[in-house]
Amino acid sequence: MRLQQEGGDTTYSQTFDRFPLWMGLVGIGVSVATYILGAYILFGFGMAASILYIGYCAAIEISVLRGSCVHCYYYGKVCGLARGRICSLFFRRGSPEKFLERRVSIRTIIPDLLVAAVPLIGGVGLLVMRFNWMLLISMLLIVLLATAGNALVRGSLACRHCAQRDLGCPAERFFVRQRV
């Protein structure tokens, strides 16, 4: 258990050595649902646009697995985003010290932001050319997944119970401002 101080309130948060499978499935589900919706939206420009988008999403995932997951505490285990176990199937274990060396900045998160932004921008263009309710609903769902979905996964499930967070996490250093 980890003691957390939030807004003057003291709460206890369990840190998982291995996350429950359902949490990992929710974590990966948000990503996969975003990719599927993005491919659907971009299919309005043709099959090639969808294939290129899915290729981009795969490249982002591979980049995360190679650059972070191989060095993470959860390598080979179920983590809150379901990548630790997946990573061990494709890549060799890295060095835990390298995980702490990574720096997160606006520049490094732009590729992740583009996963939702590209289909939304494309969707706006398609809606202007010809309105379609399914397209609009798909775009709203991507916005929901990219905002509330990611906030739920990272804020309430993954990061809250992460052992790597206790060891040091570059993303936490970037996104969570330490209180003085």
Side-chain angles (χ1 to χ4, degrees):
M1 293 265 180
R2 172 178 56 230
L3 180 66
Q4 292 181 329
Q5 199 85 22
E6 295 180 14
D9 297 330
T10 302
T11 59
Y12 291 92
S13 175
Q14 181 180 6
T15 301
F16 297 128
D17 181 54
R18 293 176 192 273
F19 277 77
L21 182 59
W22 72 267
M23 282 188 182
L25 292 175
V26 169
I28 200 76
V30 167
S31 295
V32 170
T34 301
Y35 303 159
I36 291 169
L37 287 166
Y40 170 76
I41 291 168
L42 293 174
F43 188 74
F45 293 106
M47 176 74 79
S50 287
I51 291 171
L52 285 171
Y53 173 76
I54 292 297
Y56 177 77
C57 293
I60 293 294
E61 288 294 332
I62 291 167
S63 174
V64 169
L65 294 175
R66 281 186 145 162
S68 294
C69 297
V70 295
H71 308 297
C72 182
Y73 174 84
Y74 289 101
Y75 175 88
K77 302 175 184 181
V78 175
C79 71
L81 302 173
R83 289 176 173 94
R85 181 74 185 114
I86 294 169
C87 180
S88 69
L89 298 173
F90 298 102
F91 302 104
R92 289 190 184 148
R93 175 93 170 128
S95 167
E97 295 80 31
K98 286 195 177 203
F99 191 91
L100 301 175
E101 292 172 3
R102 284 189 54 118
R103 296 289 174 245
V104 177
S105 67
I106 294 293
R107 193 178 129 257
T108 61
I109 65 170
I110 287 174
D112 294 318
L113 296 174
L114 290 175
V115 167
V118 167
L120 290 174
I121 293 166
V124 168
L126 291 168
L127 284 175
V128 168
M129 291 188 300
R130 183 172 169 203
F131 184 82
N132 177 315
W133 280 106
M134 284 303 292
L135 178 62
L136 179 61
I137 291 168
S138 297
M139 291 171 62
L140 292 174
L141 286 173
I142 279 191
V143 169
L144 185 65
L145 288 170
T147 56
N150 273 321
L152 169 75
V153 168
R154 294 180 191 322
S156 297
L157 300 179
C159 298
R160 174 172 277 180
H161 302 289
C162 182
Q164 182 65 56
R165 177 180 173 189
D166 287 345
L167 299 171
C169 176
E172 183 188 31
R173 285 193 305 260
F174 179 76
F175 288 107
V176 179
R177 304 291 182 225
Q178 297 298 327
R179 293 187 183 126
V180 179

